[in-house]
């Protein structure tokens, strides 16, 4: 028998160099790279990584915003057998310091522009031993130039990790799921089918690349030989300019961003027909990997632990659930607390098995046992089967607020606000918002005589947790509604404070990765 | 770290049972099975296989024509960890006996109708030890009924074989490539993308299922939850009836079959718009996995040793070569005889690496060393790179005649005819034919005083090799053209006998698996 070989991202780059040498791989500001050039750079980066001690299994952290440099780093790490961990720069420095400790990286690539202050705080508390390279400085170019053009083509194993992606399902701080070479390969094929990606695709990296919501499309576009267009961060005017200029036909755009783009085109004309062919601005809709461009249908469920999409509604026969049926890459079951298969209509935990499922959690081997049982990943999400076998996502097992495309755990915000001297008790809910989907609202019982203001509490939170998690609404209450056992009655709290619109509550919504259409 | 799990065909059936229980899986004469029913039958077959001694790695031979029973057998074998080997019933009994010996099966499922005589001859010379079950008799139903409904869900390894498929590239008799669970999984995803398969697809199994040309679509349709419609063998009238009745939108139809269907509809009306939407009969074209239904473009190269398709031209930017570029599932290189990468335009051997590549040859471990070098499968086919990196298939390294969709090695026919008492020397060429693509022609130098006729030689061949290989044209010549070293000069032989139209000679042609458009 002959050993089975998979295609790593490094192998894909090698094949593109042979088969698509002059096709456009990357557009990022003034930088335009063909697939030949991208592979050449990746070879140099791989060699430069090795020269700085990066070995098979070493972690390499990307602490920056969107850039083609993250893609070339991922390809290079694949060639070197290393694991790239992109940090969510919007998190609080204290959380990021914990994440960095879990990653225990050999190298950190960091960005000064806009996030230099955050980086500085994290670096100050980081362990010694990692080499830090500034990605938006000449230092990075020197780093790349220091590498050689040789490609040793050392094969990787299918189950070795290549990416560590921070997930929504938290457990004492930020948790990154390790995704394998095989998992990324298979996910790229699945997203390629769902989203009809080919070497003619031009994908606009218009969501944060530390989320699989954008990164699955980046990698699927790369895998199929299409063009990745990068923008450092979401800027509606720049998005309009790039879509017009590069004729982008795929993107990651949430409803608030689309709304902002509509306002821009009301003032100045842009040809965005490559993205929304035949549609007037009033008909523009959000764009995610869950949208099939031919049928125009969307709807999906996913999470980073399964490398992106788990179910999909955009192809074939219309399923009973707007979340669709499992992709051909994954097995899904719905289990009751005793681990028995639920009947159709019965809510249980969604569990997954298949090649896209995480091979473990970064620096958290304790979670392997907690999240896996009998080889099935337990998602921490509730769902049910419709009669036709399609799957409906119901809610996270722990309640989650979704504001724009960010997942916010109420407990996270509550723990923070409880530390404010004027707060006696606090309960955090999500309130429906036409612009953001939901916004964070704090129900607060003040300590006797205190009168905390929204401004005070928001400022207090911003200093301790990610800014996007700070409360935007405050309601002073006499008591937090509690059940007979003393536990917070979240339904009653929602009723008291006008909460609602949680992920899974509305029929057309999607899961963790995709956004509401 | 957690063990990486793949999806076997058995896992796909399990998932369909949960997620698509009532969707139609199979139509075969009066038999209609939902995915729930197909999985139930597969469980019974798996259990019945085990009860008859089939273990992990055991071979199970299918010696019959097209049937849903072959699909359920493959799914069941996947669950049991066994390998299904479908024999080409059109081959000569002597070759089939050799193939059966290589397979060394634990069980053989055979068909009496039409091929009972061939089966009888093969069985007469087969080794003891295998259990033979007649597939088109009550014996098969009893076999299925003897199994239990339990599904032990024992996971398979990604690199274990599940199929043994006889290939065009021969080496002393029939040779079967072993295809792994991972290979079939990945190929189904690739064909699903190329051919835009979903759970709404209705595939007509209208080519022989022992060839990957049809079987890749059978399995991709199954994998994506679509409907497989079976017909025992190619019958143009029955094809028209089935397409109309079941609204088939995918099929495997060669140009001669399409021509025959055109003649049928000239006499009697059929609605075949599901397969050829908006086209008049005069515009109907052949249908294979290399046709993308949206772009209408086709062209591909493949072989059974890579589980089907290797290159594809139907999607994205138009490539320079009509064979297209590698699928996202495979790496391709073109090597000179010293193993160095060829320059664009330079002809060399096509070599492959990736998850769809065979994990070995059935009963022929000696070929592993011969066909693999440095981890790359050597295809035995010549090709070149266009300037744009796309790949042109040039010709088999050993010359091949392609008549209808069958591959015929001239050496095979020559060896046979050389044994005829009236033949002194013989050279076999392919002559272009509008109906069959090519037909077999023998150039014969008779022994002194003999006057062999076409009828005699064809009859002689039919008794010894597959009937489709017999010569259909004969030319008596004074001498076979030879080069300075005494070797046959095939180009001069073609000139002498009107040979031409070999696979790879015409720009729009495809490789071993797909047929000429």
């Amino acid at each position: 028998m002959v050993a089975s070989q998979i295609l790593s991202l490094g192998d894909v780059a090698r094949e593109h160099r042979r088969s698509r040498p002059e096709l456009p791989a990357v557009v990022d500001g003034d930088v335009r790279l063909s697939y030949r050039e991208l592979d050449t750079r990746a070879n140099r980066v791989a060699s430069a990584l090795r020269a700085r001690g990066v070995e098979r299994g070493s972690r390499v952290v990307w602490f920056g915003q969107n850039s083609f440099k993250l893609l070339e780093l991922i390809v290079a790490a694949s060639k070197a057998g290393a694991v790239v961990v992109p940090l969510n720069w919007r998190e609080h420095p204290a959380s990021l310091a914990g994440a960095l400790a879990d990653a225990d990286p050999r190298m950190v690539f960091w960005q000064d522009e806009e996030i230099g202050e955050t980086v500085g705080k994290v670096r100050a508390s980081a362990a010694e031993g990692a080499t830090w390279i500034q990605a938006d400085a000449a230092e990075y170019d020197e780093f790349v130039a220091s590498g050689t053009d040789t490609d040793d083509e050392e094969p990787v194993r299918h189950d070795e990790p290549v990416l560590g992606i921070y997930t929504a399902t938290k457990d004492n701080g930020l948790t990154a799921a390790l995704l394998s070479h095989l998992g990324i390969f298979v996910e790229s094929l699945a997203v390629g089918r769902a989203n009809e990606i080919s070497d003619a695709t031009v994908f606009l990296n218009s969501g944060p690349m530390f989320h699989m919501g954008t990164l699955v499309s980046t990698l699927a576009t790369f895998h199929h030989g299409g063009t990745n267009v990068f923008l450092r961060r979401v800027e509606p005017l720049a998005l309009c300019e790039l879509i017009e200029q590069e004729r982008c036909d795929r993107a990651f755009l949430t409803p608030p961003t689309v709304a902002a783009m509509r306002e821009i085109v009301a003032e100045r004309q842009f040809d965005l027909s490559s993205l929304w062919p035949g549609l007037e601005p009033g008909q523009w809709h959000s764009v995610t990997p869950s949208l099939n461009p031919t049928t125009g249908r969307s709807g999906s469920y996913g999470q980073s632990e399964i490398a992106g999409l788990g179910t999909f509604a955009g192809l074939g026969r219309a399923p009973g659930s707007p979340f669709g049926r499992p992709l051909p890459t994954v097995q899904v079951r719905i289990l009751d607390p005793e681990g028995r298969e639920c009947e159709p209509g019965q809510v249980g935990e969604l569990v997954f098995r298949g090649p896209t499922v995480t091979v473990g959690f970064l620096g958290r081997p304790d979670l392997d046992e907690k999240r896996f049982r009998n080889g099935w990943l337990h998602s921490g999400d509730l769902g049910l089967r419709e009669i036709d076998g399609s799957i409906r996502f119901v809610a996270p097992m722990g309640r989650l607020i979704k504001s724009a495309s960010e997942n916010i755990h109420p407990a996270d915000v509550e723990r923070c606000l409880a530390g404010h001297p004027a707060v006696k008790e606090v309960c955090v809910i999500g309130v429906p918002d036409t612009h953001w989907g939901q916004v964070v609202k704090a129900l607060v019982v003040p300590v006797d005589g205190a009168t905390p203001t929204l401004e005070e509490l928001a400022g207090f939170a911003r200093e301790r947790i990610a800014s996007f998690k700070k409360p935007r609404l405050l309601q002073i209450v006499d008591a937090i509604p509690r059940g007979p056992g003393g536990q917070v009655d979240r339904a009653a709290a929602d009723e008291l404070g006008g909460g609602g619109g949680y992920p899974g509550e509305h029929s057309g919504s999607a899961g963790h990765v995709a956004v509401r259409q």
Side-chain angles (χ1 to χ4, degrees), chain A:
Chain A
M1 301 293 284
V2 178
S4 171
Q5 301 278 358
I6 59 137
L7 258 68
S8 68
L9 291 163
D11 291 330
V12 170
R14 291 169 184 129
E15 189 52 51
H16 286 336
R17 184 196 196 97
R18 289 187 291 263
S19 296
R20 297 169 180 85
E22 304 307 333
L23 294 195
V26 158
V27 175
D28 189 350
D30 293 336
V31 175
R32 287 178 180 269
L33 300 178
S34 68
Y35 272 103
R36 187 202 306 275
E37 291 165 329
L38 178 61
D39 186 59
T40 297
R41 286 183 64 99
N43 284 340
R44 289 182 188 157
V45 172
S47 143
L49 287 171
R50 283 201 194 90
R52 280 153 190 84
V54 171
E55 300 168 347
R56 287 281 275 269
S58 295
R59 272 80 53 210
V60 173
V61 161
W62 176 260
F63 198 165
Q65 294 172 308
N66 288 3
S67 166
F68 81 100
K69 294 171 185 171
L70 174 51
L71 176 60
E72 73 181 12
L73 186 63
I74 292 171
V75 175
S78 169
K79 291 191 174 197
V83 184
V84 172
V85 183
L87 291 181
N88 180 344
W89 49 269
R90 299 173 69 186
E91 289 283 356
H92 191 269
S95 303
L96 288 168
L100 200 67
D102 284 343
D104 184 21
R106 188 68 78 158
M107 293 193 72
V108 179
F109 294 87
W110 64 281
Q111 175 186 314
D112 184 47
E113 189 171 4
E114 193 173 334
I115 65 170
E117 199 182 327
T118 303
V119 174
K121 287 178 189 166
V122 174
R123 187 171 181 175
S125 68
E128 302 278 318
T131 303
W132 291 63
I133 302 263
Q134 187 181 340
D136 56 346
E139 189 182 12
Y140 184 82
D141 302 322
E142 288 156 17
F143 167 77
V144 178
S146 74
T148 65
D149 283 348
T150 52
D151 184 355
D152 70 358
E153 304 208 26
E154 197 184 327
V156 291
R157 280 203 328 274
H158 70 286
D159 55 357
E160 281 180 277
V162 64
L163 277 173
I165 300 294
Y166 286 91
T167 72
T169 38
K170 290 178 151 199
D171 185 283
N172 298 324
L174 300 178
T175 307
L178 292 167
L179 304 176
S180 69
H181 291 282
L182 178 61
I184 293 296
F185 169 75
V186 167
E187 183 68 11
S188 286
L189 293 179
V191 172
R193 172 76 184 107
N195 216 352
E196 295 183 7
I197 292 172
S198 74
D199 64 14
T201 298
V202 182
F203 175 65
L204 179 58
N205 282 259
S206 41
M209 290 173 69
F210 54 76
H211 274 173
M212 287 308 276
T214 291
L215 194 57
V216 288
S217 298
T218 318
L219 297 178
T221 301
F222 164 74
H223 194 130
H224 290 82
T227 307
N228 273 294
V229 178
F230 296 88
L231 186 64
R232 191 167 58 77
R233 59 169 301 170
V234 181
E235 286 289 351
L237 178 61
L239 289 173
C240 292
E241 289 169 344
L242 268 178
I243 293 167
E244 177 177 75
Q245 186 182 307
E246 305 297 337
R247 309 295 301 150
C248 302
D249 57 3
R250 300 288 187 287
F252 185 88
L253 299 173
T254 61
T257 306
V258 175
M261 291 167 73
R262 263 195 225 106
E263 284 173 30
I264 285 168
V265 296
E267 311 241 322
R268 182 176 149 193
Q269 215 186 325
F270 282 102
D271 175 6
L272 308 189
S273 62
S274 58
L275 192 59
W276 290 296
L279 296 185
E280 295 298 312
Q283 302 169 298
W284 292 354
H285 44 71
S286 62
V287 188
T288 73
S290 77
L291 178 69
N292 177 272
T294 299
T295 65
R297 280 161 45 195
S298 72
S300 68
Y301 163 88
Q303 63 172 214
S304 302
E305 288 91 327
I306 57 170
L309 294 177
T311 69
F312 185 65
L315 280 172
R317 297 169 191 256
S321 159
F323 298 92
R325 292 192 165 95
L327 272 82
T329 49
V330 75
Q331 293 191 76
V332 188
R333 297 172 71 185
I334 299 174
L335 301 183
D336 72 12
E338 281 72 45
R340 292 170 304 215
E341 194 99 32
C342 291
E343 295 296 314
Q346 185 190 348
V347 172
E349 186 173 8
L350 292 161
V351 304
F352 294 91
R353 192 161 78 172
T356 61
V357 169
T358 176
V359 291
F361 295 91
L362 188 59
R364 295 294 307 278
D366 58 304
L367 287 182
D368 292 357
E369 209 172 318
K370 190 171 169 195
R371 297 290 303 277
F372 283 90
R373 288 197 279 288
N374 302 318
W376 291 77
L377 171 80
H378 283 57
S379 69
D381 282 333
L382 297 173
L384 59 80
R385 292 259 180 209
E386 302 287 342
I387 287 293
D388 70 353
S390 62
I391 289 167
R392 185 178 291 271
F393 166 64
V394 172
M397 290 177 77
R399 177 163 281 190
L400 201 69
I401 297 168
K402 193 132 195 167
S403 188
S405 57
E406 291 289 351
N407 298 305
I408 299 166
H409 290 264
D412 215 2
V413 188
E414 287 164 359
R415 208 163 28 228
C416 167
L417 293 180
H420 189 278
V423 172
K424 186 174 171 196
E425 280 185 86
V426 59
C427 171
V428 163
I429 61 175
V431 172
D433 182 272
T434 51
H435 194 69
W436 299 107
Q438 284 186 294
V439 293
V440 173
K441 179 172 183 177
L443 307 183
V444 167
V445 181
V447 297
D448 286 349
T451 53
T453 66
L454 175 63
E455 202 180 5
E456 269 175 45
L457 293 180
F460 182 84
R462 204 169 38 230
E463 282 168 30
R464 287 161 180 82
I465 54 177
S467 175
F468 62 79
K469 298 177 185 169
K470 68 177 184 289
R472 288 172 184 269
L473 296 169
L474 171 66
Q475 183 172 340
I476 301 294
V477 294
D478 294 328
I480 303 297
R482 293 189 183 273
Q487 80 284 11
V488 174
D489 182 343
R490 299 228 168 240
D494 283 336
E495 201 169 327
L496 180 65
Y502 295 94
E505 276 193 7
H506 22 79
S507 64
S509 81
H512 288 181
V513 168
V515 295
R516 287 173 295 282
Q517 299 299 322

